[in-house]
Amino acid sequence: MKKFNKLIRDRIPEIIEEAGNDYELEILDDESYFKALNNKLEEELEEYKESKEIMELADLVEIIYAILDYKDISREKFEKMRKNKQKERGGFEKKLFLKKAEVD
């Protein structure tokens, strides 16, 4: 058996079984789950950076939603937070790249 030691989507065991393969898994406690979510976030970001595939962004959003659920923050509240930050600081539409600035 190949070792994975990573967080997987909920239907993966079913898919493995349908393929006629065996697996071993563990149900994580809350602390381990949160750590695994953060590791998965990094993993999916690296996959996107390497492939530039939009499906990897979908995986990132899925992980972000899982983190929001873990922290008991609704998608609506998160979207409000995002919009407030955009209103205060702007978005990235102007493609601005800061090279230098004086800071206090």
Side-chain angles (χ1 to χ4, degrees):
M1 274 205 245
K2 181 179 176 181
K3 289 186 179 181
F4 288 93
N5 292 322
K6 66 180 187 176
L7 189 65
I8 59 172
R9 289 176 176 265
D10 296 339
R11 289 200 58 240
I12 297 302
E14 178 184 332
I15 292 167
I16 293 170
E17 285 176 7
E18 287 173 357
N21 296 318
D22 290 328
Y23 60 90
E24 180 181 326
L25 60 82
E26 170 185 357
I27 297 175
L28 301 174
D29 60 42
D30 285 347
E31 184 178 331
S32 297
Y33 175 60
F34 187 61
K35 183 177 179 182
L37 281 170
N38 284 298
N39 290 339
K40 191 70 171 178
L41 186 65
E42 290 178 25
E43 174 190 332
E44 296 299 345
L45 178 58
E46 285 304 313
E47 288 179 11
Y48 170 73
K49 286 166 60 176
E50 289 176 16
S51 71
K52 311 287 189 284
E53 294 290 327
I54 297 302
M55 283 306 295
E56 297 302 336
L57 291 177
D59 290 341
L60 276 168
V61 170
E62 195 68 33
I63 295 298
I64 290 167
Y65 285 169
I67 292 170
L68 292 173
D69 290 343
Y70 176 83
K71 291 188 168 270
D72 198 28
I73 298 172
S74 70
R75 286 159 180 73
E76 293 80 17
K77 182 176 180 179
F78 179 70
E79 184 62 14
K80 185 176 181 179
M81 294 165 67
R82 186 195 68 77
K83 286 181 179 182
N84 286 339
K85 189 162 191 175
Q86 183 185 42
K87 184 178 179 181
E88 290 174 11
R89 298 202 166 228
F92 296 94
E93 294 83 19
K94 294 181 181 179
K95 304 176 188 175
L96 304 175
F97 186 81
L98 182 64
K99 295 181 84 168
K100 292 181 183 179
E102 286 187 16
V103 293
D104 296 328

